[in-house]
């Protein structure tokens, strides 16, 4: 198939997909009335202002103004051309769509780092080929099998092997025409400052490709095979690889996270591989760094339910405590799995098996408060009254910070039972702490409104001038009712809209309705190539209007638009009068003044 995709095929694809399902793979959505709401994936926010309308098959962010249909969402999220978005959606809808690679792979925007991604994809394929198909890879392959990695693991995670030769990657990249200086910037090569020669960064290492949010290989982590140092060597910070924002396996885990309505957070990718093998596809890991705000933003868009499963040693417990506090501060529900015998998840699965790990995660994960109680006890001697009372005070302070009264009561009873204390005494002390933590009355937060109410409040902040409101409402009616278009064109009597963007939308609508037999909002957005126009169309489509506008209502809107043209004309006449007076043409100035008065009288009618 070549050229433009037929409109009938686009309509068939649209009818075969639900935009809420498409966006739901990237964003955690919650239903409020007819629409779904979530955190906008196009800008950072903590309150959900991103709306998805299954009825209209469109999305809109009340915060940043992003808007469009299922096609434009994929195009913006994954930076892909329309044809590739169409292929993905057609596959989802079960619609046959034959597009040649040359059509679907042409980028719509120039990516200045495209060569860096291409080089990483190329090397990932070569590393994997060496591991699976050469004698040089046999030792590494045998090591992986001995460590419990299956052939399915190796295939799923695209694991490979970097040869010990210092110029293996260098020669491949040279032959493929890549700039050596750019490949050093990509982190694949290192330059010897003394000799000026380049050599491979990764040598004699088992290679784990690191994928970004869009599934592109952005870096590598290489494990040394012979206990060399460092044990794991990661790509350095590059234009495409940032440890503070990359989560291992996140792109592949999205669907599982959505299905399970939770994610499991690990410290390393070996744990993720083992957990996925054990049946936990919703597993992700930080890359040799602490959990960051950027990590949390990505995760919260998909789910607000977290299970933390770090190593069971002191370092792992400390990291889990910090990560849990960060997640809770972002209004996320957190559980912590503490594995026995200070084992890390990978070792636990190898020793105890997938079933034992599954049972631990599902049945033995602690709430964050329960984990805190155990964590705060570490290093204290409970037989020493001073240390015991200090521990009780610390736990009471944490209990006082819980939002739900039922939770506070539960943990107070647990504390009373553990130390044979008076529940009433604990309740009184906790109540004092709780009241101290509460903000003063004057600063108490207002009652939380629903997501839909939030969105309506955001929309009502901006007040438009009368003529702009009139133009927006006419366009809103036209977007809903194509039959009004010709009628409104006649009523306007050739007068254009005063705002250029409104006039552009009007012109696009006229052409669209002439060429389309079954028009709808979602397909109209595909016609608009300009992002600003598309956002404006979505915003206007959300305007509250009467389903069946009366003749008088439409006439009032048209009159307001025509009045604005007279206002513009009056302003122009006033400028002409000033110019006439500067030229001492007082007769001409008097004539122009008479015209201004006549136009002003027309405005008052």
């Amino acid at each position: 198939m070549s050229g433009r995709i037929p409109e009938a095929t686009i309509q068939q694809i649209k009818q075969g997909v639900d935009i809420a399902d498409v966006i739901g793979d990237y964003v955690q959505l919650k239903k409020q009335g007819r629409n779904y709401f979530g955190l906008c994936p196009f800008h950072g926010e903590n309150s959900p202002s991103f709306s998805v309308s299954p009825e209209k098959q469109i999305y809109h962010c009340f915060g940043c103004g992003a808007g469009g249909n299922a096609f434009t969402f994929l195009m913006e999220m994954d930076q892909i051309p329309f044809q590739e978005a169409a292929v993905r959606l057609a596959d989802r809808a079960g619609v046959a769509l034959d597009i040649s690679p040359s059509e679907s792979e042409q980028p719509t925007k120039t990516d200045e780092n495209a060569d860096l991604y291409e080089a990483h994809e190329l090397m990932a394929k070569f590393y994997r080929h060496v591991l699976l198909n050469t004698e040089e890879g046999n030792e590494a392959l045998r090591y992986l099998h001995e460590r419990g990695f299956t052939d399915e693991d190796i295939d799923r995670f695209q694991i490979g092997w970097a040869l010990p030769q210092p110029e293996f990657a260098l020669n491949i990249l040279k032959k493929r025409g890549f700039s050596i200086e750019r490949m050093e910037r990509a982190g694949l090569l290192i330059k010897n400052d003394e000799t000026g020669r380049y050599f491979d960064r990764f040598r004699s290492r088992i290679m784990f490709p690191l994928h970004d949010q869009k599934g592109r290989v952005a870096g590598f982590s290489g494990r040394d095979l012979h206990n060399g140092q460092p044990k794991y060597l990661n790509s350095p910070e590059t234009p495409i690889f940032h440890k503070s924002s990359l989560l291992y396996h996140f792109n592949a885990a999205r669907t599982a996270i959505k299905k399970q309505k939770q994610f499991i957070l690990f410290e390393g990718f070996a744990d993720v591989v083992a957990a996925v093998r054990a049946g936990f596809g919703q597993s992700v890991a930080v890359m040799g760094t602490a959990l960051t705000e950027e990590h949390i933003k990505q995760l919260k868009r998909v789910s607000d339910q977290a299970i933390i499963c770090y190593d069971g040693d002191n370092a792992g417990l400390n990291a889990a405590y910090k990560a849990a506090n960060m997640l809770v501060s972002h209004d996320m529900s957190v559980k912590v799995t503490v594995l026995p015998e200070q084992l890390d998840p990978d070792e636990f699965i190898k020793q105890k098996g997938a079933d034992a790990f599954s049972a631990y995660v599902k049945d033995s994960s602690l709430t964050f408060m329960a984990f805190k109680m155990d964590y705060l006890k570490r290093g204290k001697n409970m037989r020493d009254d001073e240390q015991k009372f200090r521990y009780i005070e610390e736990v009471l302070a944490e209990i006082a910070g819980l939002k739900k009264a039922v939770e506070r009561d539960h943990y107070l009873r647990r504390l009373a039972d553990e130390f044979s204390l008076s529940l009433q005494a604990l309740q009184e002390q906790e109540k004092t702490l709780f009241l101290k933590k509460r903000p003063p009355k004057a600063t108490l937060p207002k009652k939380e409104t629903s997501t839909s109410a939030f969105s309506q409040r955001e929309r009502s902040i901006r007040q438009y001038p009368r003529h702009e409101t009139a133009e927006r409402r006419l366009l809103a009616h036209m977007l809903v009712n194509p039959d009004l278009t010709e009628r409104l064109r006649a009523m306007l009597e050739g007068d254009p809209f005063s705002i250029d963007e409104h006039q552009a939308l009007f012109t696009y609508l006229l052409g669209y309705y002439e060429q389309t037999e079954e028009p709808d909002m979602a397909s109209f957005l595909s016609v608009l190539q300009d992002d600003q126009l598309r956002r404006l169309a979505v915003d206007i489509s959300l305007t509250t209007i009467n389903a069946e506008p009366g003749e008088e209502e439409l006439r009032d809107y048209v009159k307001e638009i025509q009045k604005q043209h007279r206002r513009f004309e009056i302003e122009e006449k006033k400028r002409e009068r000033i110019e006439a007076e500067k030229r001492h043409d007082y007769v001409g100035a008097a004539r122009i003044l008479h015209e201004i008065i006549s136009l002003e009288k027309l405005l008052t009618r």
Side-chain angles (χ1 to χ4, degrees), residues 15 17 106 184 201 242 245 280 313 373 382-383 390 423 437 466 475 493 512 544 581 595 605:
Q15 292 167 7
V17 297
Q106 286 299 317
E184 180 195 13
R201 176 179 295 276
H242 308 283
S245 62
F280 293 92
D313 58 14
M373 292 177 75
M382 291 297 103
R383 293 180 180 179
R390 187 167 72 248
L423 176 62
K437 285 176 177 285
R466 290 173 62 89
L475 286 169
E493 298 176 344
Y512 171 71
T544 303
E581 289 177 344
E595 292 174 358
R605 291 183 183 177

Side-chain angles (χ1 to χ4, degrees), residues 128-180:
R128 189 174 171 208
H129 171 77
V130 171
L131 176 70
L132 297 176
N133 302 305
T134 69
E135 289 186 12
E136 291 92 336
N138 285 342
E139 183 185 1
L141 187 60
R142 186 167 55 253
Y143 171 84
L144 287 167
H145 286 155
E146 289 172 355
R147 287 289 307 269
F149 286 79
T150 66
D151 290 338
E152 186 180 356
D153 294 336
I154 294 169
D155 183 60
R156 177 188 284 125
F157 293 95
Q158 302 171 26
I159 301 170
W161 169 246
L163 290 169
Q165 289 91 328
E167 297 182 349
F168 170 69
L170 174 65
N171 290 331
I172 291 173
L173 294 168
K174 269 185 177 179
K175 288 178 182 177
R176 294 301 179 96
F178 288 98
S179 161
I180 301 306

Side-chain angles (χ1 to χ4, degrees), residues 45-96:
E45 61 176 9
N46 291 320
S47 300
S49 62
F50 184 78
S51 169
V52 180
S53 169
E55 183 180 346
K56 296 181 179 180
Q57 288 292 294
I58 62 173
Y59 66 89
H60 178 67
C61 176
F62 298 98
C64 69
N69 56 20
F71 292 88
T72 59
F73 179 83
L74 290 182
M75 290 166 67
E76 290 191 35
M77 274 300 295
D78 293 340
Q79 294 295 293
I80 58 176
F82 176 81
Q83 286 85 353
E84 187 174 339
V87 169
R88 291 193 195 178
L89 293 173
D91 181 62
R92 195 177 189 120
V95 175

